[in-house]
Amino acid sequence: MDTHDERGTTMTGVEPDRLDDQQLMKELETIHRTRHDTLLYGSNDALRVHNERMAQLEGEYLRRNPRRPVAAGRTREGARERGAADTTTPTTPGT
């Protein structure tokens, strides 16, 4: 019987730079959707491959979109402002 041993090789799909923008977004959506289950239930190898593929896809997205919009609340400064607002907002018990 002819068997093919693929131990030590990783099949990660199409190289991200060969995907068009729509395909890249679809791949990113899929990998982000499956992230939680892979972290909780995947083998160490599955998690390693998932990490590698996610880094490839995200790196390609960032390369194509260096000036992507960044929400102020998603920056360190924005987070500090949110934290300051949370501590200065008075609350009235029972209202």
Side-chain angles (χ1 to χ4, degrees), residues 51-85:
N51 288 341
E52 290 171 4
R53 181 64 173 173
M54 183 178 287
Q56 291 172 348
L57 294 168
E58 289 177 346
E60 180 62 20
Y61 177 83
L62 293 172
R63 185 188 68 76
R64 293 183 193 187
N65 300 281
R67 293 178 180 27
R68 74 192 192 289
V70 176
R74 300 297 293 181
T75 64
R76 287 181 185 203
E77 183 178 335
R80 283 189 209 105
E81 289 174 10
R82 270 196 327 268

Side-chain angles (χ1 to χ4, degrees), residues 1 3 24 26 56 85-86 88 90:
M1 180 173 178
T3 61
L24 178 60
K26 185 174 173 76
Q56 291 172 348
D86 291 344
T88 61

